[in-house]
Amino acid sequence: MLRTALLTALLACPLTYAAADAPVSHPASAAVATITGTVTDTTGAIIPGAQVQLIDSTGAVVTSTTSDSTGRFRIQPPRTGDYTLNISLQGFETATRPVHVGATAGAAINVPLAVATAVTQVEVNGNTNIDLTASDENGDTAVMTADDLKQMPVFDNDYVSAMSNFLDSGEGMTAGSGLMVDGVEANRALVSPSAVQEVHINEDPYSARYYWPGRGQIEIITKQAADAYHGELNFLFRDAALNAQNRFAPNKPPEQRRIYEGNVTGPLWHAKSSSFLASFNRQEEDLNAIVNASVVPTPENPSGAYNVTVPAPTRNTEFSFRVGHQFSDKNSASLMYSFQDATNRNQGVGNQTLPEAGYNTESREDDVIFHDDYIVSPTILNQASIVLEHTYYPTSNVTNQPRINVRGYFSGGSAQNAQKRTEYNLRMNEIVSWVKGRHNLKFGVNLPHLSRRVLEDHTNSAGTYTYGPTYAPDGTILATAIQNYQAGKPSGFSIQQGKTRFVYHQQEIGAFVQDQIKITPVFSLTPGLRYDWQNFLGGDVNNFSSRLSFALVLNQQHEMVLRGGGGIYYDRMGSGPLSDMARYEHAALRLLQVSSNQQPLCNPIENCADLSALPPSLVELEPGIRTPYQINYGLSLDRKVGEKGTISIGGRMNRGVDLFRSMDVNAPLPPYYSQRPNPEVSQLRQIQSAGTQNGSALDINYRGRFNKYFTGFAWYTWSHYGNNTSGIYWFPENQFDPNAEWGPADWDQRHHFGFYGMFNADHLLNLGVGIFANTGKPWTITTGTDAYGTNLFNARPDDVPRNSRTGPDYADLDLRWGYDFKLHPKEMDKSPTLGLSASAFNVLNHPNGSYVDTVEGSEDFGDVISAYPPRRMQLAMRFVF
């Protein structure tokens, strides 16, 4: 991934490779720190083959080396003292760096080489050589580095989930948020946590390179293979004996989590100019799901309360192996294989879902990734990636019988979720960077999906019975849902029959061009244009979206920069709608649905209905359907605070146009909602692009090093999103009044705060802190009935709008203490390290509710019936060599 200014930090400042109180010189027997670093060009692209010379105070070259295939170098001074690094390569301007070498290793040096033939105009800070106008230097970027991952309280080392707190759901797509690994889209991180270099969110929010807005994706940069042997091994451990008890659990069941993780890197044996990086991650988790439901009362259980814990163990194994080779000074490449295999038992169990309705999942993914960097000329760099991907996801039911849904009380019988999904996918990505005078031009092509998918669908093959309450005309309850269940009176029934194996294809392609133009030394403008195509929508497939951003330096001394931008972002549908069309467009898989509004129902259904005579449900696209898109724009002001910190205050707007929703265009007619217009079809789901969305947000962000005692990043957002759809699978309450659904978006949270910080790093008395707090998300009151005869069971009480209630707030304080012990203190830079740490999550044991019973008339209506985990402890040990 190309980055400009972050890799140029500290260019003009001498680096000190000694403790603050270290003497200027040492006897010959004292330890001498090794100097390490990376050579890049001004775009952040790595430069292999650069000559690195170490020059002493007399001007003599005491030792030299060259940067490897990943741009890295490692050089050993003969003694402590002051030196000058001289880095050179034909076609680039020579760079020099003063360094002081002591007994303790300092931070790795990042040295950018400017293109010799390029005439650049850069307004930089006098102390850091950072181009303050670069589009990827915005102050509201959230960054987690490898050091942060070691020092912050990150649960289970799951940095993706940790960083997801800083995403904005309003900027996601139908296919979800984006995940980029080394510049290429991916399903997962591909390497173990210890092999990750950095994680970014919102680094370049209006870049034409990406499908998603800045807060809609996570970017992962992995570590490169090194030219010397290094490694890291981690062991994480949790046990219920150290944890608090969940407020909804009847007891504290035995639970345990074990994680074995690490990586090894170094030169490849007997292979000149080649190196490798191997990583692994094994997770073993013995957890329990908490069921808090109401079932049919019995003499042994007269209240009907059903509160149990159910074992839900998981196992996950991942490993990867990457080999890098430097073919010449201009060309380097790498090849990686990555593997994952995971099993999960009793999934879906918990809250009001009984153990019998659980399901078991397995997942296997194999990835082969080839990456090539080629320096075409001193001003042109080409980067290409090819990914071959195979995934296999089988799902099986814990039990095999009809599913029972008693609205507001329990779900039981069976999960009815048996299926197998297989995918063969090709991803390709190529980007060309060209630096010429005032211009930093980038253009490229993305192929995120050229896939063949196979679905073996056995879901709902035994049928689903849904029971709702019965209301009198005046609104009083004549029979509760559980009373109708006892009486054998379902409100709705559905079942799938017919063909079960489907083959379909997902095809997507994108291209972009973007130019960062230095209009003046203090002002840059970055226009861009993106093209996207996907095979889901038949007519509206050629989508062009413009992007534009700018940066204006207002005060160089305080690094005060005004930034702004905007762009259009077209939706990505993913594979779900494609599979729906393959199964239901022509009723190859017969989805049969019937409501008690059409005829009396019973259990078993064969006693009162002839299934062979029931019409199928179909799925179609609305004529003239359009690709949904978002318009995002914003303005922010960045300013330096503390030693190397940046605070950013900004506002942004979001507008969603032609958003997806589903409509039953064959819904039963009012006022009785008993007869469908076309009796030959049951539900006719039409996917439409008729929704709208408006959103606004105020962001206050901080990141960086404030002083020697604190470094970290924080993000506060006030926001409000409103819309009239909840996505492509959502139906309005009344199919004849679909536009009466405006309300808060499902993810609308007025206040959202996240913080990761490290106090007193590298000291015995250190503390890593994580704080997360937000107001609750909205939820909708439902009656639990099928009042409109559509079998959707999404009816609301009269005059009650969508998402009119607010769920419970969330507050979480996480703490971590850890210390690294040098096993060979006299060889500080070469010494193996043993690290020990203890972390506590939800330290205050705040009862964070996770689910509310939304069915009016049920015993627990409006109550929180499940919660996020209570206080948990995590112990960890790390060995670095």
Side-chain angles (χ1 to χ4, degrees), residues 237-282:
F237 178 80
R238 289 191 285 110
D239 192 274
L242 304 174
N243 301 339
Q245 182 174 328
N246 190 296
R247 62 178 292 197
F248 291 102
N251 51 53
K252 188 165 74 171
E255 295 184 337
Q256 196 174 95
R257 173 82 161 183
R258 302 166 299 278
I259 299 177
Y260 312 87
E261 183 272 331
N263 75 86
V264 178
T265 183
L268 203 61
W269 301 276
H270 306 293
K272 186 178 179 180
S273 302
S274 297
S275 54
F276 76 93
L277 174 67
S279 72
F280 68 93
N281 188 15
R282 169 67 177 178

Side-chain angles (χ1 to χ4, degrees), residues 142-144 148 151-154 162-166 700-704 706 709-717 752-760 767-774 810 812-816 841:
V143 180
M144 177 176 284
D148 294 334
Q151 298 173 342
M152 307 295 185
V154 178
M163 291 295 287
S164 295
N165 290 294
F166 299 91
I700 303 175
N701 309 290
Y702 172 84
R703 64 180 173 94
F706 186 78
Y709 299 110
F710 171 76
T711 183
F713 57 95
W715 194 328
Y716 166 77
T717 296
H752 194 123
F753 177 76
F755 169 86
Y756 270 119
M758 182 63 187
F759 296 88
N760 221 17
L767 186 66
V769 179
I771 303 175
F772 304 94
N774 53 257
Y810 182 91
D812 181 16
L813 170 64
D814 305 333
L815 300 175
R816 178 194 180 276
F841 301 89

Side-chain angles (χ1 to χ4, degrees), residues 641-710:
V641 293
E643 292 182 3
K644 297 178 183 178
T646 301
I647 189 169
S648 175
I649 301 176
R652 49 193 168 89
M653 303 293 290
N654 170 284
R655 184 185 177 196
V657 182
D658 295 336
L659 303 185
F660 282 133
R661 72 182 182 195
S662 291
M663 279 275 295
D664 185 355
V665 295
N666 194 43
L669 299 170
Y672 302 109
Y673 301 102
S674 59
Q675 299 294 324
R676 293 185 178 270
N678 182 359
E680 301 300 318
V681 178
S682 181
Q683 180 190 92
L684 179 52
R685 174 192 169 198
Q686 186 178 87
I687 299 176
Q688 302 179 346
S689 55
T692 58
Q693 174 178 295
N694 289 318
S696 58
L698 170 68
D699 301 307
I700 303 175
N701 309 290
Y702 172 84
R703 64 180 173 94
R705 176 185 170 95
F706 186 78
N707 55 32
K708 65 179 181 179
Y709 299 110
F710 171 76

Side-chain angles (χ1 to χ4, degrees), residues 484-530:
N484 281 333
Y485 170 68
Q486 290 177 282
K489 296 180 178 179
S491 302
F493 174 79
S494 67
I495 192 172
Q496 293 195 145
Q497 299 176 338
K499 182 179 177 181
T500 59
R501 188 177 188 274
F502 300 89
V503 179
Y504 58 99
H505 298 84
Q506 181 180 358
Q507 300 166 357
E508 299 169 346
I509 191 170
F512 80 97
V513 59
Q514 172 179 297
D515 189 11
Q516 181 178 316
I517 310 170
K518 293 293 290 190
I519 306 297
T520 72
V522 297
F523 179 66
S524 71
L525 193 66
T526 307
L529 181 66
R530 181 169 187 88

Side-chain angles (χ1 to χ4, degrees), residues 446-661:
N446 319 107
L447 182 66
H449 282 99
L450 184 61
S451 67
R452 177 182 184 270
R453 295 174 178 264
V454 180
L455 170 61
E456 296 182 31
D457 187 358
H458 301 280
T459 60
N460 204 23
S461 59
T464 297
Y465 296 88
T466 302
Y467 297 84
T470 302
Y471 286 87
D474 61 359
T476 59
I477 296 180
L478 300 177
T480 65
I482 205 164
Q483 288 172 337
N484 281 333
Y485 170 68
Q486 290 177 282
K489 296 180 178 179
S491 302
F493 174 79
S494 67
I495 192 172
Q496 293 195 145
Q497 299 176 338
K499 182 179 177 181
T500 59
R501 188 177 188 274
F502 300 89
V503 179
Y504 58 99
H505 298 84
Q506 181 180 358
Q507 300 166 357
E508 299 169 346
I509 191 170
F512 80 97
V513 59
Q514 172 179 297
D515 189 11
Q516 181 178 316
I517 310 170
K518 293 293 290 190
I519 306 297
T520 72
V522 297
F523 179 66
S524 71
L525 193 66
T526 307
L529 181 66
R530 181 169 187 88
Y531 167 78
D532 291 308
W533 178 92
Q534 53 190 329
N535 68 324
F536 175 58
L537 302 178
D540 185 29
V541 294
N542 296 305
N543 298 308
F544 290 89
S545 51
S546 57
R547 315 276 172 87
L548 178 68
S549 64
F550 72 88
L552 174 64
V553 179
L554 301 178
N555 186 297
Q556 178 183 352
Q557 179 181 358
H558 297 293
E559 298 184 19
M560 184 180 294
V561 185
L562 178 67
R563 302 181 186 277
I568 298 173
Y569 301 82
Y570 280 93
D571 199 359
R572 294 272 298 278
M573 271 61 78
S575 65
L578 289 169
S579 69
D580 288 347
M581 296 296 293
R583 290 178 294 174
Y584 306 123
E585 184 176 17
H586 303 292
L589 179 60
R590 291 174 56 84
L591 171 59
L592 310 179
Q593 300 184 80
V594 61
S595 169
S596 60
N597 284 30
Q598 279 101 51
Q599 66 178 75
L601 301 179
C602 59
N603 186 356
I605 191 68
E606 290 81 4
N607 292 345
C608 55
D610 181 6
L611 294 182
S612 62
L614 294 179
S617 296
L618 303 176
V619 176
E620 67 176 19
L621 298 179
E622 176 190 26
I625 190 171
R626 308 288 296 175
T627 302
Y629 63 92
Q630 298 180 22
I631 302 173
N632 287 282
Y633 54 95
L635 198 67
S636 66
L637 183 66
D638 304 345
R639 188 189 190 279
K640 177 184 176 182
V641 293
E643 292 182 3
K644 297 178 183 178
T646 301
I647 189 169
S648 175
I649 301 176
R652 49 193 168 89
M653 303 293 290
N654 170 284
R655 184 185 177 196
V657 182
D658 295 336
L659 303 185
F660 282 133
R661 72 182 182 195

